[in-house]
Amino acid sequence: MKPADLSGLPEGVPEHLQSQGIEELYPPQAEAVEAGITDGESVVASVPTASGKTLIAELAMLSSVARGGTALYIVPLRALASEKKAEFEEFEQFGVSVGVSTGNYDSDGDWLASKDVIVATSEKVDSLVRNGAQWVDDLSCVVADEVHLVDDPNRGPTLEVTLAKLRRINPDLQTVALSATVGNAGEMADWLDATLVDTDWRPIDLRKGVLYGQALHFDDGTERELQRGNEKETAALVRDTLDDDGSSLVFVNSRRNAEAAAKRLADVTSEFLTPEERDELADVAAEIRDVSDTETSDDLADAVADGAAFHHAGLASEHRSLVEEAFRDRLVKVISATPTLAAGVNTPSRRVIVRDWRRYDGDVGGMTPLDVLEVHQMFGRAGRPGLDPYGEAVLIAKNHEELQELFDQYVWADPEPVRSKLAAEPALRTHILATVASGFASTEAELLQFLERTLYATQTDETGRLEEVTGRVLEYLERNEFLERDDRLQATGLGHRVSQLYLDPMSAAEIVDGLRAADGEPTAMGLYHLVARTPDMYELYLRSGDREEYTELAYERETEFLGSMPSEFEDGRFEDWLSALKTARLLEDWTSELDEDRITERYGVGPGDIRGKVETAEWLLNAAEQLAMEIRRDEREGVPDGVTTAIRETRKRVEYGVQEELLDLAGVRNVGRKRARRLYEAGIESRADLREADPSVVLGALRGRRKTAEKILENAGHQNPSLDDVEADAGAEADANAAATDTVDDGAGGQQSLGDFE
DNA sequence: TCCGGACAGTTCTAGACAGCATGTC
DNA sequence: CTAGAACTGTCCGGA
């Protein structure tokens, strides 16, 4: 089938596809067209990664738009939203407009109504439905990318429920689900009333194999000898790929391992670099160093300078995209990564090496083997269509038995079936409340009827389980005053709020209890701890020694906590309290302007983790403020005066990472926590001061950085932001330098003054 | 002049040990 | 990441 054979698309699209070098549709694409994808038919496409899934989605969406409809594309990760947007914008020339919606703010998303194609995460779609976004009613086509993720215990149920809701709102909705090859794609097709397109076809060859000793055994029976002296397996494989001018991706099971591997592999890659590549890599390394002032950042830059990199969630997102881009540009020759990369943005590579196929699992208390599906997802990153002649995916065996084991377990094995994780209390807690609050059900019977539309219902034979958990959850929601239940189910004002804020009801209950327990104005620490102990904030790991340290701190700060501290002998609860305290102190350090590298060191986290915690805290503090207002509205006493303003102020401090006096300055664009402090020390204490400031003082405070100084003056609305012929004020420069070392109480009793004597 | 032994300093190695992935609103 | 082994180099006394 050729693009010209396609009908129902916007004018010019078939020709455009042809001009993009698509002569012939891939078999799965042709199959999807035959199944009626361009005529509004629902399809589940279970096909390997990089075999043209995106075009299937595009055909469905574009034909839907051509018929005057609106299409929604659901992505599993925020990082993928912008990638997809960029791909779809290719069709803007044919009159198709594209919008993206992710993240905490803009709750109604009304501006999206004018878009033809909307890209959003499943949580965002769910949130938009809860907030009653009008355009949702007018959707004609929905695409769910990576739909096998309904198997995920945390986020799977959201996707499942969201699809059920969308299909309920609009019974004629065309549903297109894109999935990796899984064991039970048929079940998903049944669930979605869709035609199944199920194939193993790939545009380029994927050879899978296992390395044992010197020999690389492939699934087609061939073997390849690797020369390696005493070099490690991974290094030898990377070298071997480089000899053939290809790049590698190495999957390992921990951040530390990823960093250590990158460091070692840098020795290998650095032998292969041309002088030009070295120059370009030096530039990338410099950019990486600029992102954050931490050891992680430096280590990454060092590796990148030699053509290697690591990749994990501890990196700031700028780090990640710099690395991904340099890898796609073939400057970086190898990335060692945690599984983040397998699910993330597109980074194909000639060879994929799955070095660690076991991972630590806290629930089991030991190492467990990865799912077949997960390993196959990693494998799927091998081979770049149109660039590589083939892709290779390799596991590493330590002994002879393992060689056979790995073949059986991963190379030959079929991926496990996808199972719905909906019937678990945490998932149902939030989705039942939302289902009732947004009017999808007003009795228990209707609720169960709605849940019948989920994948869970089509999969389970076990009658009664859903009813039982639902009963428990309703009881919980009623007890916490989110729902009222007589013969009908109805959300309370508070319940509606919680649903709209997209909070886990358990988080909301914790916050509400804490706020009610407040007498007087809460301290920042009190609020940090309150939000840190909700289930919506992931716990920081307590390391050995931490228990004592934070127990002591807990007693020291006991009066500040909102709500009462559990007893030291209540084991689980007390531990949770301490690990929330650890998070709370991280936030306190952040808002007292402690340097990023000190924070990463102190808590054993990466720069990306700090930003993650900060973002979550911002979101939860905002929710806490809304909840406080809600409680005040319908109770006469409830929450003391000044609580809402205290929360708002605290949230702003978290947002900017500054102490109170810098809030005004840090609000100016291009002024972060560091620059704000420097300006402040130089006597510029507010936005108004900055507007009237002597440019030479500003220049001095910013250590003579002319461009930034100019931009900042402009953003502050300064009369004459030009810095031509302006000299930096030496006094201001000295103040600014002092500010860099001396603003911080590091909690260790003024130890930081040590630095002054060295 | 040569040799062995005492000693300090350095490098290498094995074993114990802690720690371990991700993510939306 | 540390303890201990193993190795290296220096100095000194004795023949």
Side-chain angles (χ1 to χ4, degrees):
Chain A
M1 190 180 290
K2 301 186 186 327
D5 303 332
L6 296 167
S7 60
L9 297 174
E11 191 106 10
V13 168
E15 293 73 13
H16 175 73
L17 294 176
Q18 204 120 32
S19 74
Q20 295 295 297
I22 302 178
E23 313 243 307
E24 187 75 33
L25 292 189
Y26 289 156
Q29 295 164 346
E31 223 179 293
V33 171
E34 272 153 35
I37 193 109
T38 51
D39 304 319
E41 295 296 324
S42 293
V43 167
V44 169
S46 172
V47 293
T49 22
S51 46
K53 274 191 286 204
T54 304
L55 185 60
I56 296 179
E58 285 168 349
L59 293 178
M61 297 195 297
L62 291 170
S63 60
S64 199
V65 169
R67 289 191 296 274
T70 310
L72 172 65
Y73 191 97
I74 303 178
V75 286
L77 252 37
R78 274 203 287 183
L80 289 171
S82 37
E83 192 187 57
K84 288 299 165 194
K85 178 178 190 259
E87 284 179 44
F88 301 154
E89 272 173 349
E90 188 192 323
F91 299 101
E92 281 194 326
Q93 48 179 313
F94 307 107
V96 178
S97 56
V98 184
V100 183
S101 177
T102 56
N104 306 353
Y105 303 105
D106 105 83
S107 60
D108 59 4
D110 274 347
W111 65 278
L112 291 169
S114 62
K115 302 292 180 188
D116 300 316
V117 173
I118 295 159
V119 183
T121 57
S122 32
E123 285 78 9
K124 190 65 196 184
V125 176
D126 189 15
S127 165
L128 290 164
V129 171
R130 292 180 188 198
N131 284 285
Q134 284 305 309
W135 55 266
V136 171
D137 298 353
D138 307 325
L139 285 179
S140 55
C141 173
V142 61
V143 180
D145 196 4
E146 312 283 357
V147 81
H148 54 270
L149 289 173
V150 292
D151 192 76
D152 181 296
N154 299 314
R155 300 185 53 214
T158 305
L159 178 56
E160 201 179 328
V161 169
T162 302
L163 283 175
K165 282 183 182 168
L166 292 175
R167 282 157 48 77
R168 158 87 176 265
I169 295 170
N170 187 344
D172 299 325
L173 187 64
Q174 176 184 21
T175 309
V176 177
L178 309 175
S179 169
T181 33
V182 295
N184 59 339
E187 267 178 38
M188 289 199 278
D190 284 347
W191 166 44
L192 296 169
D193 306 308
T195 310
L196 177 64
V197 173
D198 190 357
T199 154
D200 284 338
W201 185 90
R202 284 178 57 103
I204 57 168
D205 236 18
L206 176 63
R207 308 170 72 203
K208 299 178 234 178
V210 178
L211 174 72
Y212 170 53
Q214 313 273 49
L216 189 44
H217 307 261
F218 283 107
D219 55 349
D220 56 8
T222 60
E223 217 170 277
R224 180 186 164 91
E225 285 297 311
L226 226 59
Q227 50 272 56
R228 68 181 180 103
N230 49 5
E231 210 170 31
K232 293 257 192 185
E233 286 94 339
T234 321
L237 282 166
V238 168
R239 178 185 300 282
D240 182 62
T241 326
L242 276 169
D243 282 335
D244 199 22
D245 204 26
S247 56
S248 311
L249 223 46
V250 183
F251 285 104
V252 299
N253 64 4
S254 75
R255 295 177 178 190
R256 279 172 75 96
N257 282 337
E259 294 183 19
K263 197 173 200 174
R264 264 183 282 117
L265 292 173
D267 294 338
V268 178
T269 52
S270 103
E271 294 172 28
F272 289 83
L273 299 176
T274 66
E276 298 78 55
E277 286 176 325
R278 278 203 179 279
D279 284 351
E280 292 183 60
L281 282 166
D283 292 343
V284 181
E287 275 186 77
I288 287 172
R289 241 178 268 275
D290 265 355
V291 168
S292 133
D293 207 3
T294 56
E295 208 187 321
T296 316
S297 199
D298 283 342
D299 290 349
L300 182 60
D302 289 344
V304 166
D306 282 333
F310 54 87
H311 190 288
H312 57 61
L315 297 181
S317 56
E318 300 94 310
H319 283 139
R320 292 197 230 177
S321 32
L322 283 166
V323 167
E324 289 154 10
E325 195 185 324
F327 188 71
R328 273 194 298 269
D329 293 346
R330 315 193 67 182
L331 284 171
V332 164
K333 310 293 181 190
V334 59
I335 301 182
S336 58
T338 59
T340 1
L341 202 62
V345 297
N346 196 24
T347 48
S349 145
R350 169 78 60 80
R351 183 177 269 169
V352 165
I353 302 160
V354 180
R355 197 193 76 179
D356 302 336
W357 46 276
R358 284 186 229 263
R359 178 169 54 219
Y360 180 81
D361 180 349
D363 301 336
V364 184
M367 305 301 276
T368 50
L370 299 185
D371 286 346
V372 179
L373 181 58
E374 217 173 336
V375 171
H376 283 190
Q377 289 280 96
M378 297 174 184
F379 282 3
R381 295 273 132 150
R384 298 168 304 166
L387 290 170
D388 287 325
Y390 58 89
E392 277 181 0
V394 181
L395 289 148
I396 297 168
K398 284 187 209 66
N399 52 53
H400 199 266
E401 295 90 85
E402 218 173 78
L403 173 63
Q404 196 51 48
E405 208 182 310
L406 289 176
F407 261 100
D408 293 343
Q409 208 175 317
Y410 292 117
V411 176
W412 303 129
D414 290 324
E416 37 288 282
V418 167
R419 314 272 338 163
S420 165
K421 301 290 188 292
L422 183 64
E425 240 176 277
L428 281 180
R429 218 158 45 210
T430 179
H431 289 300
I432 285 181
L433 176 59
T435 302
V436 174
S438 27
F440 285 89
S442 54
T443 63
E444 201 166 334
E446 278 177 33
L447 186 59
L448 287 167
Q449 209 183 331
F450 172 75
L451 294 174
E452 280 299 308
R453 307 175 66 93
T454 59
L455 174 65
Y456 180 81
T458 67
Q459 281 190 330
T460 186
D461 308 324
E462 197 187 346
T463 49
R465 168 133 170 85
L466 200 57
E467 283 84 343
E468 182 212 332
V469 186
T470 302
R472 272 211 303 278
V473 167
L474 284 173
E475 210 171 284
Y476 174 88
L477 293 172
E478 195 181 7
R479 192 167 61 240
N480 285 285
E481 299 166 39
F482 299 135
L483 281 186
E484 277 161 9
R485 173 156 72 150
D486 27 61
D487 49 333
R488 299 181 67 74
L489 291 173
Q490 203 172 5
T492 61
L494 190 60
H496 271 115
R497 241 304 97 93
V498 172
S499 166
Q500 282 164 359
L501 289 169
Y502 213 78
L503 280 178
D504 180 336
M506 197 178 254
S507 297
E510 188 76 49
I511 291 173
V512 167
D513 288 349
L515 291 177
R516 283 192 177 130
D519 47 0
E521 210 167 288
T523 63
M525 175 49 109
L527 292 169
Y528 297 149
H529 191 270
L530 180 63
V531 295
R533 64 180 194 251
T534 65
D536 276 310
M537 180 85 88
Y538 289 100
E539 285 185 359
L540 279 180
Y541 195 88
L542 280 188
R543 291 182 293 186
S544 64
D546 280 0
R547 204 193 145 100
E548 295 77 63
E549 187 182 348
Y550 289 98
T551 303
E552 199 179 312
L553 186 66
Y555 285 116
E556 234 168 78
R557 311 290 293 263
E558 193 174 352
T559 55
E560 297 187 55
F561 298 132
L562 302 168
S564 55
M565 182 157 89
S567 141
E568 208 172 317
F569 309 103
E570 236 182 300
D571 228 22
R573 286 237 297 142
F574 190 68
E575 295 269 297
D576 289 346
W577 191 270
L578 292 185
S579 97
L581 180 56
K582 190 171 176 182
T583 310
R585 198 182 62 176
L586 183 153
L587 291 169
E588 190 178 57
D589 282 348
W590 167 252
T591 50
S592 57
E593 296 168 43
L594 189 68
D595 281 343
E596 222 178 343
D597 66 324
R598 294 292 309 279
I599 299 180
T600 53
E601 218 174 283
R602 193 171 194 185
Y603 298 93
V605 297
D609 299 300
I610 301 179
R611 296 176 196 201
K613 291 276 175 262
V614 164
E615 200 180 307
T616 311
E618 259 179 71
W619 167 58
L620 286 170
L621 285 167
N622 177 58
E625 186 190 337
Q626 307 284 329
L627 288 177
M629 293 197 290
E630 189 67 36
I631 303 172
R632 279 174 69 87
R633 191 167 5 237
D634 59 36
E635 288 172 37
R636 234 146 292 157
E637 42 218 302
V639 179
D641 270 352
V643 167
T644 46
T645 38
I647 299 176
R648 185 162 35 231
E649 187 128 311
T650 307
R651 197 202 75 222
K652 290 227 117 171
R653 285 188 51 196
V654 172
E655 184 183 343
Y656 299 129
V658 296
Q659 307 193 40
E660 220 174 307
E661 69 268 19
L662 295 189
L663 276 178
D664 192 36
L665 269 181
V668 178
R669 269 189 55 204
N670 291 318
V671 180
R673 59 206 294 253
K674 284 193 164 168
R675 287 177 187 163
R677 178 53 65 188
R678 295 206 180 107
L679 289 167
Y680 191 89
E681 295 303 317
I684 300 168
E685 300 190 354
S686 68
R687 182 186 281 261
D689 286 356
L690 187 56
R691 195 161 40 232
E692 307 296 326
D694 176 349
S696 71
V697 173
V698 173
L699 187 58
L702 298 170
R703 299 168 157 184
R705 300 271 168 87
R706 276 170 194 279
K707 264 194 156 165
T708 32
E710 237 166 69
K711 214 184 294 172
I712 286 169
L713 285 171
E714 210 171 295
N715 291 336
H718 197 277
Q719 290 267 328
N720 181 16
S722 164
L723 287 179
D724 302 338
D725 324 309
V726 174
E727 286 298 313
D729 181 287
E733 196 157 354
D735 288 340
N737 286 333
T741 49
D742 162 281
T743 53
V744 155
D745 168 22
D746 67 0
Q751 284 287 323
Q752 93 275 4
S753 56
L754 257 182
D756 298 343
F757 299 100
E758 277 169 0

